[in-house]
């Protein structure tokens, strides 16, 4: 009976430990989405709730979206592998980065997309991104969600000699420039920092490409050459990178993956090796403090990265594709863009208008209120109505290089006209393509701020390449290189001496200890006995 | 019906089960992973060979040990007088002082470290990357000081005052009492303080990442790398095992020295 009691206790404990999930009713269809943290609109416009409502309305079927988030690609991959049941995984839709997508495709973990069900994707995604996915053979299994480049966020040079010179920072070699010692951070991640190392190790070769006779910054040929040089995993280059990084880290402030954004905004750093999305975030953050940061992609060439949706094996394909199609709808994509700051691959008139109003230069023009349904959008000064428009829409603006902007000053309640400023035309036509009707020009006062970070020029995009997925052996080599950079080098002889010293010291202590112990146990009673005997004799 | 008798032993069953599920089983898993080849899945020593042939790993191990021993020593040097004052004098009459020392433990570890970073920055300790090691050391000492004070305090608190009086009666001055009586009797507290500080400082890379700006890499970071970047659970487990063995060795050595003295003082020690 003792056993019975322990059995009862056991089962009681198990009942407590194992959650009551087994009694869940399986009547509602579920979509399990696994995404990066903070990567989907969830403020006033809640993408998930909107989709659930939309789905019920369109298909007359109530569904539930289970939305969970991850912090790194590797955690996501581990989680997928851990919850794998046979061939299928417990998520219907996940959003890893490019190298993880490649790994998952190679390992056969993904379901194929049916593009006839994703008409919004083919309709709204930039031709450049679609081509990139077709060119690399990923389009079958993956669709792009966000993309960006890698470069430097920097604090531009001021008159009193602070800040970073533009020519210096447009080259990878800036990281070893003693002028900026202790003011630079790079990424604490092998893949990202290896590009930086290669940009230096192969820097001359990369620049020489631009001196070739038939050099054309927009040619596929040039892009391929850059691709080869920035995907150089030969042992020689890895060793050179190790030497370079070991030498350079003395000049750095440190390594980070997340704190760089804040540190740039507060002025602790001058140069931060960053993803363009983070750069935009840092610029927005710094603007609130009254500092103006800039972002540049080095001349030699850099990385282009993206996060994309894949359907792991065993996914509910129908539901997953409906969700994607919903997200690739232009107005929904804008809501998302507004929330996360990373550049979306979605293009179209509405996106163009959103971008030019938010990141281009804007001015106020007088309008006729009768043309507008919603007067709240307009600004009323005296008895005149004004509307905010981007320069490209301003009928009075003709594209000259200096222009006075007009804006509404809330404090005085007046329309103010600024001093004339120099303006630049930035074309995004190469990215938006035929999806917009106009010439695709957005005007800006600086070619190195949010707008250009989000939508780089055609030349910049052509010198950015995707870093390929690495085989385990190569990754191991790279990781060993990185460990040795991060940890530093200690001579084997030094190690041996330390070990010997410790062993000798320990030996001495232990011998002393044993001697002492023996002394206590054996000598003491003898002595006592001796004195006893002596004293007896005296008596 | 002798059967339904409820013996006190049965109360231990939940704990035994808990231990089996969350301590013994994971440990066995670590051992299993450490001794299997990541590619073939067969029994092999490849993970250990890899570890001991890589200079970076060994350097990290030495550096971590140096950091851990330095942290522990500094912690003890600060904590012992503090605990002594708290336990033996009147400053801690209402327990307020002790509370103040322990209070930081109730605030999130990561938050405290981030706050420390801001403080050190304001003090100009981040002016150059040579300071990274010192900053990390300060952070470690700050974070683990309560764990050192508490066990020593508990032992000193329970120390029988008569023993000290006896020592004085027999002609020992304050200095001699301290070194011949108080410290030997508080050895269990010191040993458990070492236990609670030595291993965590070798692995808590949150501190070194935040305060060292990524310039200080300790062995815990390497374990994390193996798990999250390399997907190599086998190598990660092997490093964890090596660490475990080293810590055990350290514990046995420290434990041995204090063994004979510890039999006198009861309680206080963690083991």
């Amino acid at each position: 009976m003792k056993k019975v009691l322990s059995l009862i206790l056991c089962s009681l404990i198990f009942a407590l430990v194992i959650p009551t999930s087994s009694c869940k009713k399986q009547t509602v269809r579920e979509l399990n989405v696994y995404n990066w943290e903070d990567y989907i609109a969830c403020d006033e416009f809640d993408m998930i709730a909107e989709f659930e409502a939309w789905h019920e309305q369109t298909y007359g079927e109530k569904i539930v979206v289970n939305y969970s988030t991850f912090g790194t690609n590797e955690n996501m991959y581990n989680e997928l592998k851990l919850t794998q049941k046979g061939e299928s995984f417990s998520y219907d839709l996940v959003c890893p980065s490019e190298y993880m997508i490649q790994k998952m495709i190679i390992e056969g973990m993904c379901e194929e997309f049916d593009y006839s069900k994703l008409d919004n994707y083919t309709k709204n995604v930039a031709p450049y991104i679609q081509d990139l996915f077709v060119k690399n053979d990923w389009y079958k299994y993956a669709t792009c969600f966000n993309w960006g480049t890698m470069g430097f966020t920097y604090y531009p040079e001021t008159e009193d000699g602070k800040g970073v010179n533009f020519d210096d920072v447009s080259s990878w070699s800036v990281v070893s420039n003693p002028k900026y010692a202790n003011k630079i951070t790079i990424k604490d991640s092998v893949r990202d920092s290896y590009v930086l190392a290669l940009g230096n190790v192969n820097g001359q070769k990369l620049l020489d490409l631009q001196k070739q006779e038939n050099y054309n910054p927009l040619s596929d040929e040039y892009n391929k050459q850059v691709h080869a040089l920035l995907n150089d995993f030969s042992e020689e280059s890895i060793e050179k990178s190790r030497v370079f990084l070991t030498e350079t880290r003395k000049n750095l402030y440190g390594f980070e993956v997340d704190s760089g954004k804040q540190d740039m905004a507060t002025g602790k750093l001058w140069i931060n090796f960053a993803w363009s999305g983070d750069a935009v975030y840092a610029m927005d953050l710094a603007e609130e403090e009254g500092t103006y940061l800039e972002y540049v992609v080095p001349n030699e060439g850099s990385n282009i990265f993206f996060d994309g949706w894949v359907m792991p094996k065993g996914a509910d394909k129908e539901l997953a594709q409906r969700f994607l199609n919903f997200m690739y709808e232009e107005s929904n994509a804008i809501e998302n863009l507004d929330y996360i700051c990373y550049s979306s691959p979605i293009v179209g008139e509405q996106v163009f208008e959103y971008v030019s109003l938010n990141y281009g230069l804007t001015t106020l023009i007088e309008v006729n209120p009768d043309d507008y349904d919603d007067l709240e959008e307009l600004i009323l000064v005296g008895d005149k109505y004004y509307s905010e428009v981007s320069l490209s829409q301003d009928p009075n603006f003709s594209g000259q290089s200096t222009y006075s902007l007009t804006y509404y000053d809330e404090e005085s309640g007046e329309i103010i006209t600024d001093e004339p400023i120099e303006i630049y035309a930035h074309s995004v036509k190469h990215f938006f393509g035929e999806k917009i009707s106009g010439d695709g020009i957005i005007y800006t006062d600086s070619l190195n701020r949010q707008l250009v970070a989000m939508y780089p020029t055609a030349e910049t995009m052509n010198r950015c390449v995707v870093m390929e997925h690495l085989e385990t052996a190569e990754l191991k080599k790279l990781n060993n290189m990185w460990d040795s950079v991060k940890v530093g080098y200690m001579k084997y002889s030094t190690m041996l001496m330390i070990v010997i010293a410790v062993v000798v010291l320990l030996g001495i202590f232990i011998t002393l200890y044993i001697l002492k112990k023996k002394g206590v146990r054996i000598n003491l009673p003898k002595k006592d006995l001796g004195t006893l005997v002596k004293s007896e004799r005296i008596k | 019906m002798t059967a339904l008798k409820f013996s006190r032993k049965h109360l231990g069953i939940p704990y035994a089960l808990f231990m089996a599920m969350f301590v013994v089983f994971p440990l066995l898993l670590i051992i299993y992973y450490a001794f299997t080849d990541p590619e073939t899945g067969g029994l092999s020593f490849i993970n250990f060979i890899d570890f001991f042939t890589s200079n970076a790993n060994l350097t990290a191990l030495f550096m971590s040990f140096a950091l851990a021993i330095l942290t522990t020593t500094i912690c003890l040097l600060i904590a012992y007088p503090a605990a002594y004052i708290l336990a033996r004098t009147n400053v801690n009459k209402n327990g307020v002082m002790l509370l103040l020392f322990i209070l930081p433990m109730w605030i999130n570890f990561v938050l405290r470290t981030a706050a420390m970073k801001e403080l050190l920055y304001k003090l100009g300790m981040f002016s150059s990357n040579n300071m990274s090691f010192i900053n990390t050391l300060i952070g470690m000492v700050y974070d683990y000081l309560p764990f050192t004070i508490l066990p020593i305090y508990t032992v000193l608190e329970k120390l029988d005052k008569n023993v000290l009086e006896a020592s004085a009666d027999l002609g020992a001055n304050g200095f001699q009492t301290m070194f011949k009586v108080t410290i030997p009797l508080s050895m269990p507290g010191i040993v458990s303080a070492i236990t609670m500080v030595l291993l965590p400082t070798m692995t808590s890379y949150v501190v070194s990442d935040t305060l060292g700006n990524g310039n200080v890499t300790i062995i815990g970071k390497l374990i994390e790398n193996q798990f999250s970047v390399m997907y190599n659970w086998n190598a990660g487990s092997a490093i964890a095992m090596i660490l475990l063995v080293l810590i055990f060795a350290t514990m046995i050595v420290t434990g041995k020295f204090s063994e004979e003295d510890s039999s006198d003082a009861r309680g206080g020690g963690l083991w």
Side-chain angles (χ1 to χ4, degrees):
Chain A
M1 265 317 243
K2 253 186 186 174
K3 276 179 189 166
V4 176
L5 193 72
S6 22
L7 265 178
I8 294 170
L9 271 172
C10 280
S11 47
L12 256 173
I13 286 155
F14 272 100
L16 284 174
V17 167
I18 296 167
T20 49
S21 60
S22 46
C23 53
K24 185 174 59 188
K25 278 174 277 172
Q26 195 65 52
T27 47
V28 190
R29 230 164 125 191
E30 292 181 358
L31 178 71
N32 298 306
V33 182
Y34 201 23
N35 195 1
W36 289 93
E37 282 155 19
D38 250 354
Y39 226 37
I40 208 162
C42 58
D43 39 359
E44 301 103 69
F45 181 91
D46 187 332
M47 187 73 85
I48 306 290
E50 295 280 328
F51 173 68
E52 284 172 345
W54 174 83
H55 191 276
E56 198 172 352
Q57 217 172 20
T58 320
Y59 299 98
E61 186 193 355
K62 202 175 156 46
I63 54 138
V64 175
V65 178
N66 299 323
Y67 185 75
S68 21
T69 58
F70 56 85
T72 66
N73 281 300
E74 286 74 18
N75 285 350
M76 184 279 309
Y77 179 85
N78 282 339
E79 168 79 17
L80 274 190
K81 282 279 177 192
L82 283 175
T83 55
Q84 182 174 15
K85 289 186 195 90
E87 276 286 280
S88 62
F89 300 93
S90 53
Y91 291 96
D92 298 309
L93 211 50
V94 291
C95 185
S97 306
E98 77 288 333
Y99 70 96
M100 190 52 76
I101 292 178
Q102 294 174 59
K103 184 178 163 75
M104 286 171 73
I105 292 175
I106 289 167
E107 293 182 4
M109 289 167 70
C110 311
E111 293 273 3
E112 270 187 51
F113 278 107
D114 176 3
Y115 280 94
S116 63
K117 300 263 172 62
L118 285 174
D119 52 328
N120 279 336
Y121 181 84
T122 25
K123 198 172 77 196
N124 292 335
V125 169
Y128 170 81
I129 298 284
Q130 293 201 31
D131 287 352
L132 188 77
F133 271 59
V134 172
K135 203 165 70 183
N136 287 296
D137 245 8
W138 305 321
Y139 69 102
K140 269 191 208 158
Y141 304 100
T143 63
C144 182
F145 185 48
N146 284 310
W147 69 283
T149 54
M150 288 215 78
F152 293 116
T153 317
Y154 65 97
Y155 181 77
E157 200 165 23
T158 54
E159 276 167 20
D160 54 356
K162 273 170 78 183
V164 184
N165 183 281
F166 178 74
D167 292 329
D168 288 345
V169 80
S170 356
S171 163
W172 287 117
S173 60
V174 73
V175 285
S176 43
N177 192 335
K179 236 166 95 186
Y180 311 116
N182 284 314
K183 287 286 182 192
I184 313 167
T185 55
I186 67 172
K187 290 282 165 237
D188 193 357
S189 111
V190 210
R191 289 183 60 89
D192 299 309
S193 291
Y194 188 59
V195 180
L196 180 132
L198 274 184
N200 279 286
V201 169
N202 286 341
Q204 200 47 50
K205 285 185 201 157
L206 283 160
L207 289 175
D208 285 345
L209 290 181
Q210 295 170 10
K211 289 177 195 142
Q212 289 171 104
E213 259 176 49
N214 49 0
Y215 165 65
N216 172 4
L218 293 175
S219 69
D220 282 349
E221 180 61 26
Y222 172 62
N223 182 269
K224 267 184 202 148
Q225 289 166 328
V226 175
H227 183 96
L229 284 173
L230 285 182
N231 276 289
D232 178 0
F233 299 111
S234 66
E235 237 159 83
E236 192 200 347
S237 295
I238 292 181
E239 176 55 24
K240 274 187 188 164
S241 300
R242 189 188 69 75
V243 174
F244 172 79
L245 287 170
T246 312
E247 200 44 51
T248 304
R249 65 170 290 184
K250 292 173 195 147
N251 199 46
L252 300 175
Y253 176 71
F255 304 83
E256 56 83 40
V257 279
D258 212 30
S259 59
K261 292 176 271 187
Q262 265 80 18
D263 288 351
M264 279 305 290
T266 54
K268 270 183 209 171
L269 298 175
W270 282 358
I271 301 174
N272 176 221
F273 182 42
W275 297 286
S276 57
D278 279 358
V280 172
Y281 182 86
M283 285 182 216
D284 288 345
L285 206 64
E287 251 166 56
E288 286 165 21
E289 314 264 320
T291 11
Y292 292 90
L293 302 176
E294 295 184 350
Y295 173 81
V296 67
V297 176
N299 279 332
E300 289 94 338
S302 178
N303 253 16
I304 198 159
F305 69 87
F306 55 83
D307 297 316
W309 293 104
V310 294
M311 299 187 292
K313 278 263 155 67
D316 184 341
K317 285 176 70 170
E318 192 185 35
L319 219 47
Q321 288 176 147
R322 276 178 194 165
F323 182 61
L324 284 190
N325 213 30
F326 179 79
M327 278 201 298
Y328 284 122
E329 216 259 305
E330 208 179 339
S331 57
N332 295 337
I334 290 175
E335 295 287 350
N336 221 24
L337 181 65
D338 194 39
Y339 182 77
I340 58 176
C341 296
Y342 270 78
S343 351
S344 157
I346 305 285
V347 294
E349 295 287 358
Q350 288 178 52
V351 178
F352 181 74
E353 199 177 315
Y354 171 86
V355 172
S356 49
L357 262 180
N358 273 283
Y359 295 107
L361 294 179
T362 55
T363 185
L364 290 179
I365 53 169
E366 203 185 324
V367 291
N368 184 0
D370 298 341
D371 301 343
Y372 290 83
D373 298 332
D374 188 7
L375 290 185
E376 276 184 18
E377 280 178 19
L378 301 178
I379 296 162
L380 180 67
V381 178
D383 54 354
K384 287 177 178 167
Y385 283 94
Y386 295 88
S387 171
E388 194 186 19
V389 294
S390 74
L391 281 194
S392 358
Q393 292 165 310
D394 182 357
N396 304 321
F397 177 71
S398 59
Q400 67 270 61
S401 62
T402 50
Y403 186 78
S404 305
L405 296 174
T406 320
Y407 66 93
Y408 176 68
D409 185 49
E410 269 182 54
E411 266 176 40
S412 62
E414 279 171 28
I415 303 284
I416 292 177
T417 305
D418 248 0
E419 292 289 303
I421 52 157
E422 192 125 332
I423 56 168
Y424 306 94
H426 176 67
S427 169
V428 292
K429 188 75 178 173
H430 58 279
F431 192 73
F432 282 71
E434 300 305 313
K435 312 270 171 168
I436 49 167
S437 52
D439 51 5
I441 284 182
I442 300 175
Y443 294 94
T444 168
D445 58 346
S446 162
L447 283 174
N448 302 311
R449 296 190 36 81
Q450 282 99 329
L451 174 69
V452 187
M454 280 178 114
Y455 296 99
T457 60
E459 285 86 356
T460 310
M461 276 162 74
N462 201 47
R463 60 169 201 262
C464 289
V465 294
V466 173
M467 190 179 199
E468 293 200 340
H469 161 70
L470 288 172
E471 295 302 320
T472 317
E474 278 170 329
L475 189 64
K476 205 171 173 179
K477 258 186 257 163
L478 213 57
N479 213 48
N480 285 344
M481 181 276 284
W482 186 243
D483 278 351
S484 132
V485 169
K486 286 293 299 294
V487 176
Y489 188 85
M490 190 187 260
K491 277 186 200 145
Y492 285 112
S493 52
T494 325
M495 290 184 197
L496 202 68
M497 270 163 67
I498 295 175
V499 171
I500 290 171
V502 169
V503 169
V504 167
L505 271 176
L506 270 183
I508 293 172
F509 272 122
I510 290 173
T511 340
L512 280 177
Y513 172 74
I514 292 170
L515 283 179
K516 192 181 157 199
K517 210 170 180 183
K518 272 186 184 160
V520 170
R521 274 187 191 157
I522 303 161
N523 291 346
L524 206 71
K526 265 188 186 168
K527 218 191 258 169
D528 283 354
L529 208 66
T531 43
L532 205 70
V533 172
K534 262 183 196 166
S535 52
E536 264 180 358
R537 269 185 197 164
I538 291 165
K539 266 184 184 174
Chain B
M1 280 292 274
T2 50
L4 253 177
K5 218 187 235 170
F6 185 83
S7 112
R8 258 198 281 173
K9 269 185 202 161
H10 289 129
L11 285 173
I13 293 176
Y15 299 100
L17 271 174
F18 181 88
M19 289 292 175
M21 269 169 72
F22 298 110
V23 180
V24 179
F25 181 64
L27 257 178
L28 288 178
L29 265 185
I30 288 182
I31 295 171
Y32 166 76
Y33 272 116
F35 285 104
T36 34
D37 189 288
E39 268 134 55
T40 59
L43 180 82
S44 101
F45 290 95
I46 182 86
N47 304 311
F48 293 95
I49 296 168
D50 273 1
F51 181 85
F52 285 109
T53 48
S54 146
N55 184 286
N57 285 338
L58 289 176
T59 310
L61 187 65
F62 273 91
M63 293 299 287
S64 316
F65 235 106
L67 182 68
I69 287 171
L70 264 175
T71 310
T72 318
T73 318
I74 297 174
C75 272
L76 284 175
L77 286 179
I78 300 175
Y80 201 92
Y84 188 83
I85 293 166
L86 284 177
R88 302 269 89 178
T89 61
N90 275 337
V91 282
N92 191 34
K93 227 176 185 176
N94 312 317
V96 178
M97 282 304 282
L98 184 68
L99 187 76
L100 283 179
F101 272 103
I102 303 169
L103 204 63
M105 273 163 79
W106 301 343
I107 295 162
N108 183 287
F109 182 71
V110 181
L111 199 66
R112 264 187 293 148
T113 314
M116 196 65 180
K117 182 178 179 180
E118 289 308 309
L119 186 71
L120 289 175
Y121 182 78
K122 288 267 155 22
L123 292 173
M125 294 290 282
F126 276 94
S127 54
S128 115
N129 60 12
N130 300 329
M131 305 291 277
S132 298
F133 189 83
I134 293 169
N135 287 338
T136 312
L137 191 63
I138 293 174
M140 292 277 192
V141 170
Y142 169 61
D143 278 329
Y144 287 101
L145 196 59
F147 294 96
T148 337
I149 292 183
L150 211 54
I152 298 176
Y153 169 78
T154 328
V155 173
L156 287 178
E157 240 257 297
K158 289 198 177 127
L159 203 67
D160 194 348
K161 275 190 183 127
N162 296 331
V163 180
L164 301 183
E165 278 163 15
S167 151
D169 281 349
L170 293 172
N173 58 25
F175 215 65
Q176 283 169 320
T177 312
M178 186 74 197
F179 285 96
K180 297 257 178 196
V181 181
T182 315
I183 290 183
L185 283 181
S186 58
M187 224 39 197
I190 295 175
V191 170
S192 69
I194 293 174
T195 327
M196 288 170 85
V197 177
L198 199 67
L199 178 67
T201 40
M202 286 179 80
T203 49
S204 61
Y205 59 90
V206 178
V207 182
S208 61
D209 272 10
T210 317
L211 296 172
N213 286 327
N215 288 322
V216 179
T217 308
I218 55 177
I219 196 88
K221 183 78 182 166
L222 293 186
I223 300 179
E224 193 256 345
N225 262 354
Q226 291 294 348
F227 275 91
S228 64
V229 182
M230 291 295 297
Y231 333 105
N232 194 344
W233 290 26
N234 307 78
S237 303
I239 305 179
M241 244 192 85
I242 291 166
L243 213 53
L244 198 68
V245 170
L246 278 173
I247 292 296
F248 255 116
T250 324
M251 283 344 290
I252 289 169
V253 171
T254 8
K256 269 269 177 299
F257 282 121
S258 65
E259 208 174 49
E260 79 184 301
D261 315 299
S262 65
S263 52
D264 298 335
R266 277 180 299 275
L270 271 185
W271 50 22

